Amino acid sequence: MIEPIRNLNDICFNSRKGLYKHWILSNKSDYSKMCDFMQKINFSIQDLNSEIPQLDKPTMKSIIYVIILVVWIQEAFEKIEKLYRQDVMSYFVYSKDSELSNGKKYINAIRSFAVAHPLSTSRHPQFGFDGNYICVDIRDFKRDITSPFSKSDTIYELNFNGLYANGNRKCDFYFYVYSDKDDGMKFFRYIGCNFDDIYRVARLYIDKLYALDKHLRKSKKNDYR
């Protein structure tokens, strides 16, 4: 079972500190924007957590929905970062930035392949998406009638580290793809993904949001002229 994502209560219930300090914003008029972005993140967390009980039997709708919710958290966080004064943000360091960078690339690749450009994803070669694969469906591999006849060398797994061969068929869901380069689009290939990786991206963004809040709580107006 996937662990629920931490909510924003510890930030929102201390609304006069950290992220909610007015003087830290580049423009005080952006305060309402910041609140809107925080609300977007909080609602997305709630929706992600509410999906967890159903993910043992995922549907295409639930898979795409989870991906989009994580992307919404990503985009809202990046919007929030840009609202604060550069001199204050320049001293902020997040210890897991390298891991988050990989997570961002991963979720952007998944989003492109599942939602934005399923027939022409070519901008994510690190994850095998260089225009070779065309996504035609997303399914739970275990319940598909063709799975017993699939060769292990046609099954792959996609995670933070990229795309690699994996014939154990233990992923949560699979992209059903064709490859023009490999076999002239004659046979299915299967690219597996796990919800743990997708939720991990969301957790990293929430963890960074808490780290930023902690940094801003310690920041004093008198230290910045």
Side-chain angles (χ1 to χ4, degrees):
M1 176 68 72
I2 298 171
E3 290 295 322
I5 298 170
R6 183 182 185 183
N7 61 42
L8 302 186
N9 289 351
D10 290 339
I11 295 177
C12 296
F13 288 164
N14 293 281
S15 58
R16 295 184 180 181
K17 301 178 180 179
L19 289 160
Y20 289 89
K21 289 179 178 178
H22 286 263
W23 72 266
I24 299 178
L25 293 165
S26 297
N27 298 293
K28 292 183 179 180
S29 61
D30 286 338
Y31 183 80
S32 60
K33 289 184 180 179
M34 187 276 296
C35 293
D36 290 343
F37 295 146
M38 289 289 288
Q39 188 176 55
K40 181 67 172 179
I41 291 174
N42 212 22
F43 286 161
S44 296
I45 292 172
Q46 294 172 21
D47 291 339
L48 281 168
N49 287 341
S50 69
E51 284 295 309
I52 292 175
Q54 289 79 44
L55 294 183
D56 58 333
K57 296 181 180 179
T59 64
M60 182 189 295
K61 289 181 180 180
S62 64
I63 293 166
I64 291 176
Y65 184 46
V66 164
I67 293 170
I68 292 301
L69 288 171
V70 176
V71 171
W72 284 350
I73 290 175
Q74 170 199 337
E75 292 186 350
F77 176 84
E78 291 174 352
K79 291 286 187 181
I80 289 172
E81 276 189 311
K82 294 176 181 178
L83 295 178
Y84 294 105
R85 287 171 47 166
Q86 292 184 0
D87 54 348
V88 180
M89 292 297 293
S90 64
Y91 289 95
F92 173 57
V93 177
Y94 179 53
S95 62
K96 299 179 182 178
D97 251 338
S98 178
E99 183 181 356
L100 180 56
S101 177
N102 289 336
K104 177 180 178 179
K105 294 174 184 176
Y106 168 81
I107 199 65
N108 286 345
I110 292 289
R111 171 188 172 274
S112 180
F113 204 52
V115 182
H117 310 287
L119 304 183
S120 58
T121 294
S122 60
R123 297 181 181 179
H124 306 277
Q126 175 184 348
F127 297 95
F129 300 150
D130 57 0
N132 180 32
Y133 295 114
I134 294 174
C135 178
V136 296
D137 205 356
I138 308 173
R139 305 179 193 173
D140 179 348
F141 192 90
K142 293 178 293 185
R143 295 200 299 268
D144 183 71
I145 194 171
T146 63
S147 60
F149 310 103
S150 303
K151 297 180 179 179
S152 60
D153 62 358
T154 64
I155 304 172
Y156 306 87
E157 182 174 340
L158 185 69
N159 60 28
F160 275 34
N161 298 318
L163 182 69
Y164 60 92
N166 178 19
N168 64 16
R169 308 180 185 183
K170 293 181 180 179
C171 293
D172 293 327
F173 65 89
Y174 286 78
F175 293 112
Y176 278 54
V177 307
Y178 286 117
S179 169
D180 190 24
K181 295 180 182 178
D182 294 344
D183 57 21
M185 300 180 64
K186 294 180 180 179
F187 305 104
F188 271 133
R189 294 178 181 273
Y190 312 88
I191 298 178
C193 299
N194 291 299
F195 287 116
D196 278 339
D197 288 327
I198 297 174
Y199 275 73
R200 178 182 169 194
V201 178
R203 287 194 186 89
L204 286 167
Y205 274 107
I206 302 308
D207 185 59
K208 187 172 183 178
L209 189 66
Y210 267 92
L212 177 58
D213 181 68
K214 183 177 181 180
H215 168 73
L216 296 179
R217 290 187 188 199
K218 295 179 179 178
S219 300
K220 306 299 181 182
K221 188 174 182 179
N222 291 337
D223 295 335
Y224 301 91
R225 300 293 183 180

